[in-house]
C-alpha cells in the first residue's frame, strides 16, 4: 500500500513525451510507479479530466529577502512552482560586511524594485558570509524547495568595500583572489550558481549602475576559476550583449567548464540582437559548451495604476495634492472632483517622464476587461483615442479609475517590438532555451510576471489567437526537465519512478489568471503587485499537499537545496 495514488489523469511527464492516461503512485515523498493498476493507497486522488505534470522549477526568481521572512513564497506557490531558484541578475544579500547592508538594499531596491524599507525591516541580517546565509535559509521550512545563488554585486562589494560600486575602480590581485576564494566557498557550501549583471538597465536606487556592469575579464575569470575549482554551479548572466560581450562571457564559460545561463529577450533599440545572441549560443553549444538562453513566456510588461510605482499623471501639477493621500482617499478625490480630472487630462506638463508616457501610449493598453497580454496595436490607448476623437490621456485616466480605482494599464516594453508574441514563440520553440525571466518576488511595484508558469500553459497551449500555439508537452518540459537540468537538479521535474513527488494536478480547461492586484502585505505594510491563478486542483511537494483548489494548505515540506 502506497501513500498516495493519483488516478486516471492525463500525464504530461516533463520529458516532452505525448500526454498519456496513467496513474502515479507516491511513497515517502517519491514517485514509485507510473502506469496502470498500481494497487492500493492510503489516499487516492481522482485525477480524471485533470492534467498531471511535474511541479514547475522556476529558475529566475528574486526571493533572496522574502525567503528570510515568508515560508510561502507568494506568488509562485499559487502557480505550480515547487522549486524556486533566486540570487539572479547579480544582486542579493550575501556576503555582506557588518554595517554594509544599506548598499545591497539600495541596489535591490533600484534594480529589482523591492522597497528598501521592506528589506531593511524584513531581513534580520544574521549572516556575513554566503555559507552563513545558506545556513540561515537551511534552518527554515518552505512551501517549496528553494535554491540560492551567489550574486556578483555582493561578492564584489565585500571584497572591494566602497570601491566595489565604483565603475572606475579595478580589483587588485588580492581582491581578485579573495573573490575567487569566497566564490569557491559559496559553491562548496551549496550555492547553485554565481550570477552577474552586465546591463545598464540595472541601477541602484541612488542612480549608480549595478557594480558588476563594468567587471573586466580578470574579474569574470576569477569567478569562472572558482566554478572550475568547485566543479559545480552555473554562471547566470543578465547582459545587454554589447559588442564583444558574448565573446567575453563565452571565454568565462570555457574557463569555468560549467553551464552558463543567459537571459534572452528582445529590446526595441536592437530588435534583432536576440537572434544574434541565440545564434552565438548555438555556436557555443556546437563547440561543446553548455549554454542556454532563459526566455520569457510573454512580453516584459510594466503595469501602471493609481497605486503602482509609476502612473502617467505623477508629474502633473494637479497630482501633487493626491500623491500623499492613502489609496482609497486618492481614488475618491479623483472620482468626485471633475475639475481635477479635466485638468489632469487637458493640461500637459513638459517634463521628460510625461513626454515618455505620451509616446508610450501607442503601446499601452487597458488591462480590463479581457486581461489580454498579447493585445493588437489597434487596441492601444493612442489608437483607440484616434478612433474615438479623444485623447489617450483621457482614456488612461478612465482606465485607471475603473474597478474603484484598481484599474491597470499594461505597457509591454520588451519582447514586443513587432506588436505580438511572434519572437516569444520563436524563442520558446528553440532547442537551446528554457523558461525564465519571471522575476517572481521582484519589480513588485510595476511588474507582475511571477505568474509566468501559468501563463505559459494557458496562453501558448490553449488561448493564443494571434499566431501559432505550442505543444503542451513542450511547454511543460520547458519549465520542468529543462529548467531543472540547467541547475543539475536531476532528482525532480519528471514524473518517473525514483523522482521526487513534486506534482501538479491542473484543470486545464479552467486554468486562468486573475487580474493583478496591488496589496500591502510586505513587512512594514509594503506594497506589491500579486496575481493569482485558478485551476490548480492540487500541488504536491515531496508528496505533501501544499495547495488544494488554489488555496495553500499551510504545509511546508520544502527545504533549501544545496548544489
Ligand atoms: Zn532578474
Amino acid at each position: 500500500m502506497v501513500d498516495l495514488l493519483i488516478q486516471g489523469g492525463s500525464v504530461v511527464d516533463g520529458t516532452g513525451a505525448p500526454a498519456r492516461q496513467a496513474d502515479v503512485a507516491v511513497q515517502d515523498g517519491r514517485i514509485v510507479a507510473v502506469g496502470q493498476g498500481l494497487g492500493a493507497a492510503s489516499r487516492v486522488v481522482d485525477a480524471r479530466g485533470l492534467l498531471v505534470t511535474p511541479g514547475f522549477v522556476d529558475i529566475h526568481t528574486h526571493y533572496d529577502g522574502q525567503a528570510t521572512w515568508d515560508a510561502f513564497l507568494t506568488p509562485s506557490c499559487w502557480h505550480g512552482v515547487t522549486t524556486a531558484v533566486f540570487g539572479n541578475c547579480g544582486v542579493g544579500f550575501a556576503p555582506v560586511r557588518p554595517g554594509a547592508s544599506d548598499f545591497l538594499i539600495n541596489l535591490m531596491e533600484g534594480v529589482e524594485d523591492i522597497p528598501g524599507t521592506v528589506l531593511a525591516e524584513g531581513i534580520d541580517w544574521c549572516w556575513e558570509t554566503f555559507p552563513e546565509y545558506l545556513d540561515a535559509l537551511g534552518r527554515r521550512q518552505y512551501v517549496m524547495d528553494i535554491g540560492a545563488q551567489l550574486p556578483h554585486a555582493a561578492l564584489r562589494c565585500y571584497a572591494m568595500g566602497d570601491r566595489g560600486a565604483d565603475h572606475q575602480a579595478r580589483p587588485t590581485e588580492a581582491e581578485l583572489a579573495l573573490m575567487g576564494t569566497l566564490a569557491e566557498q559559496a559553491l562548496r557550501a551549496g550555492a547553485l550558481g554565481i550570477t552577474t549583471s552586465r546591463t545598464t538597465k540595472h541601477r541602484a536606487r541612488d542612480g549608480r549602475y549595478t557594480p558588476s556592469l563594468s567587471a573586466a575579464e580578470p574579474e569574470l575569470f576569477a569567478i569562472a576559476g572558482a566554478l572550475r575549482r568547485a566543479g559545480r554551479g552555473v554562471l547566470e548572466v543578465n547582459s545587454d550583449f554589447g559588442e564583444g560581450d558574448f565573446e567575453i562571457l563565452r571565454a568565462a564559460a570555457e574557463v569555468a567548464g560549467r553551464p552558463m545561463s543567459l537571459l534572452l529577450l528582445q529590446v526595441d533599440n536592437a530588435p534583432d540582437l536576440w537572434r544574434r545572441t541565440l545564434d552565438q549560443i548555438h555556436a557555443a553549444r556546437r563547440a561543446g559548451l553548455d549554454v542556454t538562453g532563459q526566455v520569457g513566456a510573454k512580453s516584459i510588461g510594466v503595469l501602471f495604476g493609481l497605486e503602482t510605482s509609476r502612473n502617467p499623471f505623477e508629474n502633473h501639477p494637479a497630482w501633487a495634492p493626491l500623491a500623499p493621500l492613502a489609496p482609497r482617499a486618492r481614488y475618491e478625490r479623483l472620482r468626485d472632483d471633475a475639475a481635477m480630472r479635466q485638468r489632469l487630462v487637458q493640461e500637459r506638463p513638459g517634463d521628460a517622464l510625461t513626454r515618455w508616457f505620451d509616446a508610450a501610449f501607442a503601446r499601452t493598453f487597458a488591462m480590463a476587461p479581457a486581461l489580454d497580454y498579447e493585445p493588437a496595436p489597434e487596441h492601444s490607448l493612442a489608437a483607440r483615442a484616434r478612433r474615438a476623437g479623444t485623447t489617450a490621456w483621457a482614456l488612461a485616466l478612465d482606465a485607471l479609475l475603473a474597478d474603484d480605482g484598481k484599474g491597470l494599464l499594461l505597457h509591454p516594453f520588451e519582447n514586443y517590438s513587432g506588436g505580438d508574441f511572434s519572437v516569444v514563440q520563436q524563442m520558446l520553440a528553440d532547442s537551446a532555451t528554457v523558461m525564465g525571466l519571471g522575476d517572481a518576488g521582484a519589480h513588485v511595484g510595476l511588474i507582475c510576471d511571477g505568474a509566468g508558469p501559468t501563463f505559459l500553459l494557458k496562453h501558448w497551449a490553449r488561448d493564443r489567437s494571434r499566431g501559432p500555439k505550442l505543444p503542451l508537452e513542450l511547454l511543460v518540459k520547458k519549465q520542468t526537465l529543462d529548467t531543472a537540468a540547467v541547475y543539475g537538479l536531476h532528482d525532480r521535474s519528471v514524473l518517473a519512478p525514483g523522482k521526487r513527488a513534486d506534482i501538479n494536478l491542473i484543470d486545464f480547461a479552467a486554468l486562468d489568471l486573475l487580474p493583478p492586484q496591488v496589496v500591502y502585505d510586505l513587512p512594514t505594510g509594503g506594497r506589491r503587485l500579486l496575481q493569482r491563478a485558478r485551476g490548480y486542483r492540487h500541488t504536491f511537494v515531496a508528496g505533501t499537499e501544499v495547495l488544494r483548489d488554489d488555496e495553500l494548505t499551510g504545509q511546508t515540506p520544502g527545504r533549501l537545496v544545496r548544489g
Side-chain angles (χ1 to χ4, degrees):
M1 177 120 98
V2 297
D3 296 336
L4 172 68
L5 186 66
I6 298 166
Q7 214 165 35
S10 175
V11 171
V12 179
D13 67 7
T15 66
R20 69 190 198 276
Q21 190 102 356
D23 303 344
V24 179
V26 173
Q27 177 72 38
D28 298 327
R30 302 218 160 247
I31 295 168
V32 291
V34 179
Q36 311 289 344
L38 301 183
S42 309
R43 180 181 175 193
V44 176
V45 174
D46 181 1
R48 282 174 299 174
L50 303 179
L51 285 183
V52 183
T53 76
F56 304 138
V57 178
D58 188 344
I59 59 171
H60 199 111
T61 77
H62 291 280
Y63 289 127
D64 306 68
Q66 191 177 332
T68 70
W69 71 72
D70 175 18
F72 294 99
L73 301 176
T74 53
S76 294
C77 58
W78 296 320
H79 297 282
V81 176
T82 54
T83 304
V85 178
F86 49 80
N88 285 291
C89 298
V91 289
F93 302 119
V96 57
R97 297 217 183 253
S101 59
D102 284 359
F103 180 71
L104 297 184
I105 289 177
N106 178 321
L107 188 62
M108 188 63 97
E109 181 168 21
V111 171
E112 303 292 350
D113 190 25
I114 302 173
T117 49
V118 166
L119 297 168
E121 283 301 310
I123 299 175
D124 68 1
W125 302 101
C126 59
W127 58 83
E128 175 172 340
T129 67
F130 198 84
E132 287 167 0
Y133 174 63
L134 288 182
D135 289 342
L137 297 173
R139 285 192 289 272
R140 300 177 64 95
Q141 303 182 4
Y142 299 95
V143 70
M144 66 188 70
D145 271 9
I146 58 168
Q149 302 172 92
L150 173 69
H152 188 178
L155 178 69
R156 186 175 220 258
C157 291
Y158 190 91
M160 298 172 66
D162 289 343
R163 288 168 48 252
D166 177 352
H167 293 284
Q168 309 308 319
R170 287 283 168 263
T172 63
E173 285 299 323
E175 286 163 347
L176 287 178
L178 180 59
M179 279 191 236
T181 303
L182 294 174
E184 185 181 344
Q185 279 171 4
L187 292 164
R188 291 195 187 281
L192 292 189
I194 303 177
T195 75
T196 192
S197 165
R198 303 175 72 77
T199 172
T200 55
K201 284 182 291 188
H202 286 169
R203 290 172 186 250
R205 177 153 180 89
D206 61 20
R208 285 183 288 177
Y209 287 122
T210 196
S212 56
L213 175 72
S214 51
E217 276 145 308
E219 189 172 340
L220 289 173
F221 291 175
I223 289 171
L227 285 158
R228 169 171 290 279
R229 288 193 303 279
R232 60 181 81 174
V234 176
L235 180 61
E236 185 260 5
V237 188
N238 187 339
S239 171
D240 289 336
F241 295 110
E243 215 47 55
D245 222 23
F246 187 91
E247 287 74 11
I248 292 173
L249 294 170
R250 177 176 161 152
E254 281 167 359
V255 170
R258 297 295 310 162
M260 182 164 68
S261 177
L262 302 172
L263 272 60
L264 188 67
L265 42 79
Q266 181 192 45
V267 292
D268 281 350
N269 62 11
D272 291 322
L273 179 61
W274 71 272
R275 283 179 209 278
R276 189 183 81 181
T277 306
L278 188 54
D279 288 345
Q280 289 167 318
I281 289 173
H282 278 284
R285 289 163 72 97
R286 283 193 298 275
L289 296 176
D290 182 353
V291 185
T292 43
Q294 270 187 49
V295 300
K298 58 179 191 286
S299 59
I300 314 298
V302 289
L303 296 170
F304 306 126
L306 296 180
E307 299 177 51
T308 62
S309 292
R310 293 246 166 266
N311 87 72
F313 301 97
E314 65 183 71
N315 276 4
H316 198 291
W319 188 264
L322 295 169
L325 298 182
R328 182 72 199 177
R330 187 186 303 143
Y331 162 67
E332 288 174 353
R333 177 84 193 276
L334 269 171
R335 180 195 64 191
D336 299 339
D337 191 337
M340 176 183 275
R341 291 202 307 275
Q342 195 170 21
R343 227 190 121 195
L344 283 169
V345 165
Q346 289 181 349
E347 293 173 19
R348 197 75 310 110
D351 64 285
L353 183 70
T354 303
R355 288 200 307 276
W356 181 87
F357 271 110
D358 207 34
F361 284 152
R363 201 200 280 171
T364 300
F365 307 85
M367 285 294 278
L371 212 61
D372 182 0
Y373 283 96
E374 194 181 0
E378 61 263 30
H379 294 135
S380 73
L381 295 179
R384 284 173 47 207
R386 268 196 305 278
R387 287 198 300 275
T390 180
T391 67
W393 291 92
L395 295 180
L397 188 57
D398 285 350
L400 297 178
L401 286 168
D403 192 18
D404 290 345
K406 307 277 186 199
L408 292 170
L409 302 172
L410 171 70
H411 175 68
F413 75 99
E414 288 172 324
N415 282 352
Y416 219 64
S417 306
D420 64 24
F421 285 169
S422 50
V423 298
V424 181
Q425 196 245 337
Q426 293 167 54
M427 289 177 188
L428 284 169
D430 192 275
S431 61
T433 68
V434 306
M435 248 294 270
L437 299 195
D439 271 343
H443 305 295
V444 295
L446 268 183
I447 297 177
C448 194
D449 286 348
T454 302
F455 182 83
L456 184 74
L457 302 190
K458 161 186 138 54
H459 187 76
W460 287 101
R462 193 191 70 194
D463 292 348
R464 188 166 194 241
S465 62
R466 297 188 61 212
K469 297 176 192 174
L470 290 166
L472 182 62
E473 292 86 348
L474 171 74
L475 298 167
V476 170
K477 176 172 178 277
K478 283 273 172 189
Q479 58 183 349
T480 55
L481 179 62
D482 288 353
T483 41
V486 171
Y487 283 90
L489 301 172
H490 300 301
D491 62 338
R492 63 196 67 203
S493 78
V494 171
L495 298 180
K499 301 291 184 184
R500 265 171 65 96
D502 296 345
I503 304 171
N504 285 315
L505 273 64
I506 302 170
D507 183 347
F508 188 53
L511 187 66
D512 210 355
L513 290 171
L514 303 191
Q517 280 191 315
V518 177
V519 299
Y520 296 82
D521 67 346
L522 291 175
T524 72
R527 170 200 59 188
R528 61 174 170 161
L529 281 157
L530 281 183
Q531 185 168 31
R532 298 196 55 163
R534 286 288 172 264
Y536 289 91
R537 299 293 304 282
H538 307 267
T539 298
F540 296 93
V541 169
T544 298
E545 186 171 34
V546 298
L547 194 86
R548 183 188 305 178
D549 293 332
D550 303 307
E551 299 296 334
L552 293 166
T553 63
Q555 299 292 312
T556 50
R559 297 291 184 273
L560 174 73
V561 180
R562 294 183 191 256

